[in-house]
Amino acid sequence: MQFGVFTVGDVTEDPTTGRTVSEAERIKAMVAIALKAEEVGLDVFAQGEHHNPPFVPSSPTTQLGFIAAKTSKLILSTATTLITTNDPVKIAEDYAMLQHLSDGRVDLMMGRGNTGPVYPWFGQDIRNGIALAVENYALLRRLWREDVVDWEGKFRTPLQGFTSTPRPLDGVPPFVWHGSIRSPEIAEQAAYYGDGFFHNNIFWPVTHTKRMIELYRTRFEHYGHGAADQAIVGVGGQVFMRKNSQDAVREFRPYFDNAPVYGHGPSLEDFSRETPLTVGSPQQVIERTLSFREHFGDYQRQLFLMDHAGLPLKTVLEQLDILGSEVVPVLRKEFAAKRPAHVPDAPTHASLKAAAERAHDLETIEEPSV
Amino acid sequence: MTERVIAVVTAGLTTPSSSRLLADQLAAAVRDELSGRGVEARIEVIEVRDHAHDLTNNLLTGFPSTELREVLDTVAAADALIAVTPTFSASYSGLFKMFFDVLDDKALAGKPVLLGATGGTERHSLVLDFALRPLFAYLKALPVATGVYAASTDWGTGATNLRTRITQAATELVAALNHEPAHQTDPYENPTPFEDLLNS
């Protein structure tokens, strides 16, 4: 099972000091968080893509490329790549490039984005969100899998004799997850292709997340990619920890109360009851995270949101130390002990490459001899 | 004896409130009308005030609390709805509107609705037709022709006329019940097959 962090890259005032970091500080802080994630033994660093303030990460491959150069094991992912407003040709090129530079430590999470004006800024219409996700991704897959593509669709200019360069590393496209909070069409899309499905599992009750994951698993089996419990599921989570749970609550409350997404709404206690947010001791975080398995089945990737709502970098790095030393080692052991042998790991470049080679060997063997 | 479920959403702020009084009288008239046809009524009354914080939280977080979810599901599953609001600043109250902002926008499609409103004077009575009716038309509900507005005087000298309007509206709501509610498909149980998405 893979463990990691995902970040939205918001620039938010620290409500306890009134200080807002500069964009430069925030961008460098995201890099520091990624490096810390590798240092403390996490597997994945994933970052969002946004094209409006208060978010900084508009250019994920620049940032992930920089992080790739400074790390050696960490898998670099997006969370999410805007499949609706980005040109699928540019996604194909950018992430193949990143694959080569990072020696295959790349995967992508597709998402539609949720701010209305971003669509018209990029010449699109939010009402076509699902249709854009469907058509653009279908093209993206072909660009990575076919050397020469002829294509015509509704949303971008046609392609004749187009080759996306560089070709994917070792001829193996990056693994793709599809992220959606509430759209059954996206769970259906992930299932159709046998790709991964990621639920951010932050803002909604676990009962809702469970429905989305069950739909994905059922349809994954329907499309013949394996049994439902072999589908590739990732979930998010949101935690804040201190040795004593009362200290965690006291320290996190002002950040919660003023957070951009849910601040000034429900109490920390209500939100912790209704959603997977866990503020408390490392042991409480371990127990809550293990409980996800009871709702979602055995899953392959667990990402935590650690660095939002104006939390200072120093605090975030402390959180990552706790996560890496006290929480994740226990979770790895417990999840592994409970997982049946037929449930696969999340695909990596190495595993996809090996699978492609096996498929190739099989084809060669089966070719009739002349 | 068959049973029909009537959801009553009332947005009065005081206890007791004249909106609740009107809502109760409308519900009782509907019950009597159904009873006369050999149908039992299960009346589910929802005081919006009781969910005021949850409604705000839903707007801010994007999802309803467990308690609010149950209330929203009750309304969505009901055979008909009685909706009553006090008149505030020439329209329905903000709290009343929040409830319908948070409710799934397909939850009322094809559902018969009896519109009610209260106010200090009769001069606001067009709130029914100029504010409530467009809202429920947008939600594709089927508001019955007679809405019931009750001003302060209707609880005294005007009571007979109010009683007549309540009975008329209740009769219309029960008559509308014969229409089957619009069929609601569960997108999580019955997803659109991906080939259809690709080809649409």
Side-chain angles (χ1 to χ4, degrees), chain A residues 209-354:
Chain A
T209 305
K210 182 181 170 176
R211 295 201 77 190
M212 286 289 284
I213 290 173
E214 276 175 0
L215 167 60
Y216 161 66
R217 287 188 183 281
T218 306
R219 300 298 286 175
F220 181 93
E221 181 168 311
H222 168 82
Y223 286 115
H225 300 295
D229 66 357
Q230 294 173 312
I232 307 298
V233 172
V235 303
Q238 186 184 6
V239 299
F240 189 86
M241 299 165 284
R242 288 299 178 200
K243 194 165 185 297
N244 299 311
S245 59
Q246 288 312 309
D247 293 339
V249 170
R250 196 177 307 115
E251 187 177 345
F252 190 65
R253 191 183 299 280
Y255 296 96
F256 176 88
D257 285 346
N258 294 284
V261 177
Y262 39 69
H264 310 286
S267 68
L268 174 59
E269 286 73 14
D270 282 349
F271 202 74
S272 300
R273 182 170 49 83
E274 293 281 349
T275 78
L277 171 66
T278 309
V279 181
S281 67
Q283 187 55 36
Q284 284 173 299
V285 169
I286 289 168
E287 283 163 20
R288 192 76 180 276
T289 309
L290 285 172
S291 79
F292 294 167
R293 183 183 167 277
E294 287 151 33
H295 300 284
F296 310 144
D298 288 289
Y299 59 104
Q300 283 75 10
R301 175 176 282 188
Q302 173 67 56
L303 300 183
F304 293 101
L305 173 66
M306 312 292 290
D307 71 325
H308 70 136
L311 281 164
L313 177 61
K314 179 172 170 291
T315 306
V316 176
L317 297 180
E318 287 165 7
Q319 292 293 307
L320 287 171
D321 275 327
I322 302 172
L323 191 69
S325 63
E326 297 179 45
V327 175
V328 166
V330 181
L331 291 177
R332 278 194 205 285
K333 204 165 133 238
E334 295 283 326
F335 275 116
K338 288 172 175 165
R339 195 176 72 163
H342 69 280
V343 173
D345 286 325
T348 59
H349 182 75
S351 76
L352 292 169
K353 187 183 165 193

Side-chain angles (χ1 to χ4, degrees), chain B residues 92-128:
Chain B
Y92 33 71
S93 74
L95 192 59
F96 178 85
K97 178 66 159 44
M98 270 167 69
F99 186 87
F100 293 99
D101 285 345
V102 157
L103 186 68
D104 186 283
D105 61 3
K106 296 183 188 73
L108 296 184
K111 202 185 294 297
V113 180
L114 197 171
L115 304 177
T118 58
T121 78
E122 303 84 338
R123 283 190 288 276
H124 295 295
S125 62
L126 281 171
V127 68
L128 286 172

Side-chain angles (χ1 to χ4, degrees), chain B residues 130-141:
Chain B
F130 281 74
L132 273 86
R133 208 169 282 279
L135 170 64
F136 287 91
Y138 171 77
L139 294 170
K140 297 190 166 52

Side-chain angles (χ1 to χ4, degrees), chain B residues 19 72 80 92 139 147 164 189 193-195:
Chain B
S19 291
L72 298 172
Y92 33 71
L139 294 170
T164 308
E189 292 294 334
F194 194 72
E195 295 285 356

Side-chain angles (χ1 to χ4, degrees), chain A residues 134 154 182 184 188-189 192-193 203-205 208 211-212 215 219 223 261-262 264-266 271 274-275, chain B residues 54 56-57 60-67 69 104 186-189 191-195 197-198 200:
Chain A
V134 169
K154 262 191 287 196
R182 60 184 300 184
E188 172 75 10
Q189 181 184 33
Y192 177 81
Y193 291 113
F203 304 124
W204 282 59
H208 168 80
R211 295 201 77 190
M212 286 289 284
L215 167 60
R219 300 298 286 175
Y223 286 115
V261 177
Y262 39 69
H264 310 286
F271 202 74
E274 293 281 349
T275 78
Chain B
D54 277 355
T56 303
N57 291 346
L60 296 185
T61 64
F63 70 89
S65 67
T66 308
E67 295 78 15
R69 172 85 273 159
D104 186 283
D186 182 338
Y188 300 104
E189 292 294 334
T192 308
F194 194 72
E195 295 285 356
L197 293 174
L198 268 178
S200 66

Side-chain angles (χ1 to χ4, degrees), chain A residues 8-262:
Chain A
V8 67
D10 59 318
V11 177
T12 303
E13 180 186 283
D14 181 336
T16 65
T17 62
R19 182 168 182 274
T20 306
V21 294
S22 68
E23 289 181 321
E25 283 175 276
R26 186 67 173 104
I27 291 165
K28 290 294 177 70
M30 289 169 75
V31 172
I33 288 164
L35 302 189
K36 188 73 174 178
E38 176 159 288
E39 179 199 319
V40 302
L42 301 182
D43 308 301
V44 184
F45 172 82
Q47 68 159 80
E49 176 189 332
H50 292 275
H51 298 274
N52 46 347
F55 306 105
V56 289
S58 58
S59 306
T61 51
T62 308
Q63 185 153 16
L64 292 176
F66 185 79
I67 294 169
K70 291 174 166 285
T71 53
S72 58
K73 293 198 296 254
L74 199 61
I75 295 172
L76 307 167
S77 182
T78 54
T80 59
T81 293
L82 303 181
I83 187 64
T84 45
T85 49
N86 280 309
D87 182 357
V89 170
K90 199 72 178 90
I91 297 177
E93 295 171 341
D94 282 348
Y95 287 89
M97 189 76 175
L98 184 60
Q99 247 196 331
H100 286 275
L101 289 172
S102 67
D103 302 310
R105 290 186 286 128
V106 180
D107 54 44
L108 286 85
M109 197 189 294
M110 299 298 169
R112 281 171 295 143
N114 55 8
T115 34
V118 173
Y119 284 80
W121 288 333
F122 288 85
Q124 301 296 353
D125 183 332
I126 194 168
R127 289 169 297 183
N128 294 328
I130 295 281
L132 282 160
V134 169
E135 178 178 304
N136 286 347
Y137 183 64
L139 172 57
L140 175 61
R141 281 184 68 87
R142 288 191 55 196
L143 292 168
W144 276 337
R145 285 166 175 80
E146 298 171 32
D147 286 342
V148 182
V149 171
D150 293 339
W151 179 89
E152 193 171 341
K154 262 191 287 196
F155 296 114
R156 94 179 288 292
T157 199
L159 297 168
Q160 279 296 322
F162 181 78
T163 298
S164 171
T165 62
R167 303 303 300 141
L169 178 66
D170 304 317
V172 176
F175 185 69
V176 169
W177 305 75
H178 299 266
S180 178
I181 294 178
R182 60 184 300 184
S183 300
E185 295 91 341
I186 299 303
E188 172 75 10
Q189 181 184 33
Y192 177 81
Y193 291 113
D195 293 341
F197 178 73
F198 186 88
H199 197 287
N200 94 353
N201 193 34
I202 286 180
F203 304 124
W204 282 59
V206 86
T207 46
H208 168 80
T209 305
K210 182 181 170 176
R211 295 201 77 190
M212 286 289 284
I213 290 173
E214 276 175 0
L215 167 60
Y216 161 66
R217 287 188 183 281
T218 306
R219 300 298 286 175
F220 181 93
E221 181 168 311
H222 168 82
Y223 286 115
H225 300 295
D229 66 357
Q230 294 173 312
I232 307 298
V233 172
V235 303
Q238 186 184 6
V239 299
F240 189 86
M241 299 165 284
R242 288 299 178 200
K243 194 165 185 297
N244 299 311
S245 59
Q246 288 312 309
D247 293 339
V249 170
R250 196 177 307 115
E251 187 177 345
F252 190 65
R253 191 183 299 280
Y255 296 96
F256 176 88
D257 285 346
N258 294 284
V261 177
Y262 39 69

Side-chain angles (χ1 to χ4, degrees), chain B residues 13 41 51 56 61 69 73 85 90 120 122 159 161 163 167 171 180 182 189 198:
Chain B
L13 291 180
H51 307 284
T56 303
T61 64
R69 172 85 273 159
D73 287 347
T85 179
E122 303 84 338
N161 288 335
R163 167 57 45 192
T167 307
T171 308
E180 282 296 310
E189 292 294 334
L198 268 178

